[in-house]
Amino acid sequence: MRIPAAIALASITLATTANAQTDYSAMIAQDGLTATEANLSALPNQTPSDMFVLGGVRFLGAIEGALQTLYATQINREMAEMSDLPFLRIPLPPNPNAAPFTPEVIADTFANALQELDGSLVALDTIADTDNVAVTINTADLWFDINANGARDAGEGMLETAATQMNRGLDGAGTPPVVRFDTADAAWLSAYAHLLSGVSETVLALDPTSAIQRVTESAAAMDALNDGGRQMVFMPDEDTWVDVLAMFIHAIEGQPDVERSRNAHAHFLGMIEDNQTFWSRVATETDNKLEWIPNPNQTSALPLDFPADVGSQWRMVLAEAEAVLKGDLLIPHWRLGNGAGINLASIMQNPPEIDIISIIQGEGVLPYIEEGTRMSGQSLRQFQRMLGGDAALFMIIFN
């Protein structure tokens, strides 16, 4: 089939323009994540830097898609933030034109994000240790099109939405940092994509839709009979608190989806593998240019002090987490002594039908209990002691 000359010319022009555009930061600032992803995907000869940015905009696109879905829906923001789940806990502006909430919105949000994250991993996995990635990003240029109108509006900057924790420690003017991402950072970003993918697969394995449907219907029925004269008050926001707890319990009880549980397990192991790759790569760097996470001989572009041995301490945390995920270290149970514990790998590979009472009592996890060495958590406690009140922030940065 012959391609019309005008279409062929337009395609060539698009590819040539994208190839000539090396200021990825400006491209994202001007065009947004979706258009940048399309331009980079169309390049005929993608460089490692192209692939890093492609993986990055797909990663951020997963967050953007989730925010657009949640913004467009009359979701209870207090309940969403109380869930403490990725995407859901991000504050959003009110939308007076939001569509009515339906229980499947939550599952759809994580399923769509999972698809975008898969694309991010495909791009990032092409980057090898010997590739040269050099991508300078002004974090002020990153934004999410939350209201899906194709333009950047007030409150849509990345540091105003998803990265509020990262805004700590900036100077009084709130100047966003400029960062030069390199080859090591490709593994860091891939690890984060695996983390969010693992969480998404876990949520989907537990079927949140039926739990949300059950709680919202029963709550609506109770509210219809409520005359305003309650006899008991648990806490100021008792409706929200009780409903969130009920959704959580109903979601986790029952039979998880086996395939999704196994996928989540693989992603969590992939997160640790890529995180370890990142630390191996960054240890060999000799430059010192606007680093994201520095080695002891570098300085970070972030307004944070990185202790010289923080990387080695975090790798110890990763090693213990990996041993737990592989079943080499066991999870403690209150009924067991030091010589036995629960094999998490066995549970995630062949998840049981979950009953909270039986898990607490022990019967529900009995088939997964083995004799062996239990996790101590010592490496994490040492990491927390090293960083004090900043430990949570560094855990978010390191993933």
Side-chain angles (χ1 to χ4, degrees):
M1 181 176 64
R2 182 172 297 176
I3 301 176
I7 296 178
L9 179 61
S11 300
I12 294 171
T13 301
L14 173 64
T16 302
T17 301
N19 268 320
Q21 173 62 273
T22 57
D23 191 344
Y24 302 105
S25 193
M27 184 189 299
I28 297 171
Q30 176 180 320
D31 301 332
L33 297 172
T34 300
T36 300
E37 194 278 338
N39 288 341
L40 293 176
S41 295
L43 292 178
N45 298 302
Q46 295 154 323
T47 67
S49 292
D50 293 334
M51 297 306 288
F52 175 83
V53 179
L54 182 58
V57 295
R58 287 175 177 173
F59 177 89
L60 295 176
I63 300 174
E64 180 180 73
L67 296 180
Q68 289 174 343
T69 298
L70 298 173
Y71 176 78
T73 306
Q74 293 174 357
I75 186 172
N76 185 315
R77 291 306 314 162
E78 186 179 8
M79 293 179 67
E81 292 173 21
M82 284 181 64
S83 73
D84 204 33
L85 288 171
F87 314 130
L88 301 186
R89 65 189 178 203
I90 299 175
L92 288 173
N95 179 8
N97 300 314
F101 175 80
T102 55
E104 63 270 14
V105 164
I106 302 302
D108 289 346
T109 297
F110 283 96
N112 293 337
L114 189 60
Q115 184 174 355
E116 292 295 324
L117 291 166
D118 284 343
S120 176
L121 288 168
V122 168
L124 295 171
D125 284 349
T126 65
I127 299 172
D129 292 346
T130 55
D131 285 330
N132 181 27
V133 172
V135 175
T136 301
I137 297 291
N138 184 342
T139 55
D141 290 337
L142 304 179
W143 60 285
F144 300 115
D145 189 11
I146 296 174
N147 58 15
N149 69 350
R152 179 169 180 169
D153 296 320
E156 291 187 331
M158 186 189 72
L159 294 182
E160 300 171 90
T161 52
T164 52
Q165 297 96 332
M166 299 292 292
N167 219 14
R168 170 213 171 274
L170 297 180
D171 62 33
T175 305
V178 176
V179 180
R180 182 180 181 274
F181 293 97
D182 50 34
T183 307
D185 298 318
W188 169 85
L189 185 56
S190 181
Y192 237 120
H194 275 300
L195 173 61
L196 290 183
S197 296
V199 173
S200 298
E201 289 281 15
T202 300
V203 170
L204 295 171
L206 298 175
D207 184 23
T209 301
S210 59
I212 295 170
Q213 180 80 35
R214 180 176 175 179
V215 172
T216 53
E217 288 180 355
S218 62
M222 295 292 289
D223 289 343
L225 298 171
N226 178 26
D227 61 1
R230 292 182 183 148
Q231 301 302 310
M232 296 180 63
V233 176
F234 298 106
M235 55 188 294
D237 300 315
E238 70 277 3
D239 283 351
T240 300
W241 177 76
V242 172
D243 286 346
V244 169
L245 179 61
M247 288 178 186
F248 174 78
I249 292 174
H250 291 323
I252 67 173
E253 289 198 323
Q255 178 61 56
D257 184 283
V258 175
E259 182 177 358
R260 289 199 178 278
S261 179
R262 292 173 178 174
N263 290 343
H265 187 237
H267 277 300
F268 291 139
L269 286 172
M271 172 196 69
I272 293 174
E273 180 181 358
D274 284 349
N275 210 319
Q276 292 281 21
T277 297
F278 162 77
W279 288 107
S280 296
R281 288 178 179 176
V282 80
T284 65
E285 292 182 354
T286 57
D287 65 326
N288 190 15
K289 300 177 182 177
L290 302 173
E291 302 298 328
W292 174 240
I293 300 174
N295 66 32
N297 299 315
Q298 295 173 317
T299 303
S300 175
L302 301 177
L304 296 172
D305 293 326
F306 287 76
D309 54 348
V310 68
S312 59
Q313 185 60 52
W314 183 246
R315 296 188 78 167
M316 292 174 64
V317 175
L318 294 174
E320 184 170 32
E322 182 178 35
V324 172
L325 282 167
K326 290 183 174 181
D328 297 331
L329 289 177
L330 306 175
I331 298 175
H333 189 277
W334 71 274
R335 302 195 76 140
L336 302 174
N338 291 329
I342 303 167
N343 188 318
L344 180 60
S346 296
I347 288 181
M348 296 195 73
Q349 285 298 307
N350 295 289
E353 184 170 349
I354 298 174
D355 178 271
I356 293 178
I357 297 300
S358 70
I359 290 176
I360 295 174
Q361 185 270 338
E363 178 188 6
V365 293
L366 188 59
Y368 305 94
I369 291 176
E370 301 175 1
E371 292 183 345
T373 304
R374 301 195 310 186
M375 63 176 291
S376 67
Q378 180 65 24
S379 57
L380 180 58
R381 288 192 293 271
Q382 290 175 348
F383 179 82
Q384 292 170 329
R385 282 196 296 269
M386 172 187 292
L387 296 166
D390 287 335
L393 174 64
F394 276 87
M395 290 174 69
I396 292 171
I397 296 173
F398 292 165
N399 73 76

Coordinates of all heavy atoms in Angstrom, one line a residue, residues 20 23 29 54 56 60-61 83 129 170 173 190 193 204 217 241 279 303 320 345 389-390:
A20 N 16.3 16.0 16.9 CA 17.1 17.2 17.1 C 16.8 17.8 18.4 O 17.7 18.5 18.9 CB 16.7 18.2 16.0
D23 N 16.7 18.8 24.5 CA 16.3 19.3 25.8 C 15.0 18.6 26.2 O 13.9 19.1 25.9 CB 16.1 20.9 25.6 CG 15.9 21.5 27.0 OD1 15.6 20.8 28.0 OD2 16.0 22.8 27.1
A29 N 8.0 20.1 29.4 CA 7.3 21.3 29.9 C 6.4 21.9 28.9 O 5.3 22.3 29.2 CB 8.4 22.4 30.3
L54 N 12.0 8.0 27.7 CA 10.7 7.3 27.3 C 10.2 6.5 28.5 O 9.0 6.5 28.8 CB 11.0 6.4 26.2 CG 9.8 5.6 25.6 CD1 8.7 6.5 25.2 CD2 10.3 4.7 24.4
G56 N 10.9 7.2 31.6 CA 10.4 8.1 32.6 C 9.1 8.7 32.4 O 8.3 8.8 33.3
L60 N 5.8 8.4 34.7 CA 5.0 9.5 35.2 C 3.6 9.5 34.5 O 2.6 9.9 35.1 CB 5.7 10.8 34.8 CG 7.0 11.1 35.6 CD1 7.7 12.3 35.0 CD2 6.8 11.1 37.1
G61 N 3.5 8.9 33.3 CA 2.2 8.8 32.7 C 1.3 7.9 33.4 O 0.1 8.0 33.4
S83 N -6.5 5.3 52.8 CA -6.1 4.0 52.3 C -4.5 3.9 52.3 O -4.0 2.8 52.4 CB -6.6 3.8 50.9 OG -5.9 4.6 49.9
D129 N 24.7 -1.6 31.5 CA 25.7 -0.9 32.3 C 26.7 -0.1 31.5 O 27.2 1.0 32.0 CB 26.6 -2.0 33.0 CG 25.8 -2.7 34.1 OD1 24.7 -2.3 34.4 OD2 26.2 -3.8 34.6
L170 N 13.8 22.3 50.4 CA 14.2 23.2 49.4 C 14.3 24.6 50.0 O 13.8 24.9 51.1 CB 13.1 23.3 48.3 CG 12.9 22.0 47.5 CD1 11.8 22.1 46.5 CD2 14.1 21.5 46.9
A173 N 12.6 30.0 48.7 CA 11.8 30.3 47.5 C 11.2 29.1 46.9 O 10.4 29.2 45.9 CB 12.7 31.0 46.5
S190 N 13.7 2.0 37.1 CA 13.2 0.6 36.9 C 12.7 0.0 38.2 O 11.7 -0.7 38.3 CB 14.2 -0.2 36.2 OG 13.6 -1.5 35.9
A193 N 9.5 1.4 39.2 CA 8.4 0.9 38.4 C 8.0 -0.5 38.8 O 6.8 -0.8 38.8 CB 8.8 0.9 36.9
L204 N -5.0 -5.6 42.9 CA -5.8 -6.3 41.9 C -6.0 -7.8 42.3 O -7.1 -8.4 42.1 CB -5.3 -6.2 40.5 CG -5.3 -4.8 39.9 CD1 -4.5 -4.8 38.6 CD2 -6.7 -4.3 39.7
E217 N -22.8 0.1 49.6 CA -24.3 -0.2 49.6 C -24.8 -0.3 51.0 O -25.9 0.2 51.3 CB -24.5 -1.5 48.8 CG -24.4 -1.4 47.3 CD -24.7 -2.7 46.6 OE1 -24.9 -3.7 47.2 OE2 -24.7 -2.7 45.3
W241 N -13.6 6.2 58.9 CA -12.7 5.3 59.5 C -13.3 3.8 59.4 O -12.6 2.9 59.0 CB -12.4 5.7 60.9 CG -11.5 4.7 61.6 CD1 -10.2 4.6 61.5 CD2 -11.9 3.8 62.6 NE1 -9.7 3.6 62.3 CE2 -10.8 3.1 63.0 CE3 -13.1 3.4 63.2 CZ2 -10.8 2.1 64.0 CZ3 -13.2 2.4 64.2 CH2 -12.0 1.8 64.5
W279 N 22.9 0.7 42.9 CA 24.0 1.0 43.8 C 25.3 0.5 43.3 O 26.4 1.2 43.5 CB 23.7 0.4 45.2 CG 22.6 1.1 45.9 CD1 21.3 0.7 46.1 CD2 22.7 2.4 46.5 NE1 20.6 1.7 46.7 CE2 21.4 2.7 47.0 CE3 23.7 3.4 46.6 CZ2 21.1 4.0 47.6 CZ3 23.4 4.6 47.2 CH2 22.2 4.9 47.7
P303 N 18.6 19.1 48.0 CA 19.1 19.8 49.2 C 19.0 18.9 50.4 O 18.4 19.2 51.4 CB 18.1 21.0 49.3 CG 16.8 20.4 48.8 CD 17.2 19.5 47.6
E320 N 18.2 -8.1 53.2 CA 17.3 -8.8 54.1 C 15.9 -8.9 53.5 O 15.2 -10.0 53.6 CB 17.2 -8.0 55.5 CG 16.3 -8.8 56.5 CD 16.4 -8.2 57.9 OE1 16.6 -7.0 58.0 OE2 16.2 -9.0 58.9
A345 N 7.6 -16.4 50.5 CA 7.6 -16.8 49.2 C 6.5 -17.9 48.9 O 5.9 -17.8 47.8 CB 9.0 -17.4 48.8
G389 N 15.1 11.4 62.0 CA 13.8 11.8 61.5 C 13.7 11.9 60.0 O 12.6 12.0 59.5
D390 N 14.8 11.8 59.3 CA 14.8 11.8 57.8 C 14.7 10.4 57.2 O 14.7 10.3 56.0 CB 16.0 12.5 57.3 CG 16.0 14.0 57.5 OD1 14.9 14.6 57.6 OD2 17.1 14.6 57.5

